[in-house]
Amino acid sequence: MKKTLSRRARLAAGGAVLAAVAAGTFGTVSANASAPQAAPAAAQAVSADSGDTTTTRHLTIDAATKAAEATLKAAEKEGQRVTVAVVDRNGNTILTMRGDGAGPQSYESAIRKAYTAVSWNATTTELEGRLENAPNLKDIPGTLFLGGGVPVTADKAPIAGIGVAGAPSGALDEKFAQAGAEALN
């Protein structure tokens, strides 16, 4: 014969279980809080040898702004509404300027064109042609193989990329990006 507990007995038993669990939990926490802890060892700075490092050049924010403004000015002269992006050697965005009336798609496209140009140290128009021999290039994340991206170099090494999007053709986008790059000379 099965024995059933009254509602009062079940509540009392449940409360006792909760109290035991709470006491165990809080007891563990307070025991851990009061136990002496060994201090972690302090990390020491290590100096790398000069042969283990390299120095890179980067475009300043002032130079990036100058290039972007020259790009927008060239586009405005031809009645085009574009967005310009300037990225550093690592493909990180330094700045993006969206011209008045530029389409919403132009923002991301400009960044991707700039990233593509600096990654291969070539204009994106030139890189479009390479897709015929290596069509998988277009599958690399963050790239866009459409005209409108130009690299910026120092001593023949890429230090930045300028990407433009929003004009009716990649050729125009690239023309405006080139104007921005030329403003740095």
Side-chain angles (χ1 to χ4, degrees):
M1 178 168 169
K2 187 175 177 185
K3 187 174 182 182
T4 51
L5 297 174
S6 69
R7 179 179 162 99
R8 180 181 277 172
R10 286 192 310 249
L11 285 174
V17 169
L18 282 174
V21 169
T25 301
F26 291 119
T28 302
V29 170
S30 63
N32 285 339
S34 64
Q37 299 283 328
Q44 298 294 318
V46 178
S47 181
D49 291 333
S50 61
D52 294 333
T53 63
T54 184
T55 302
T56 59
R57 297 171 79 180
H58 296 274
L59 208 57
T60 65
I61 187 68
D62 290 338
T65 302
K66 180 180 177 180
E69 288 174 343
T71 299
L72 289 177
K73 186 175 180 181
E76 288 171 7
K77 280 184 181 177
E78 295 195 30
Q80 298 302 315
R81 297 177 181 105
V82 301
T83 297
V84 59
V86 181
V87 301
D88 68 12
R89 173 61 187 113
N90 299 321
N92 298 311
T93 304
I94 299 172
L95 68 82
T96 305
M97 290 183 165
R98 185 174 172 270
D100 293 335
Q105 79 290 352
S106 65
Y107 183 86
E108 180 68 25
S109 297
I111 293 170
R112 291 175 60 192
K113 289 178 182 183
Y115 175 84
T116 304
V118 75
S119 295
W120 280 277
N121 194 23
T123 67
T124 51
T125 297
E126 179 185 331
L127 294 169
E128 274 184 284
R130 293 185 193 176
L131 288 177
E132 292 175 20
N133 296 327
N136 291 351
L137 282 178
K138 70 181 179 331
D139 298 332
I140 296 174
T143 59
L144 185 58
F145 292 86
L146 296 175
V150 299
V152 176
T153 61
D155 299 325
K156 299 182 184 178
I159 62 166
I162 301 174
V164 176
S169 72
L172 278 174
D173 285 340
E174 197 159 299
K175 176 182 176 181
F176 304 142
Q178 188 66 43
E182 290 172 0
L184 297 174
N185 292 332

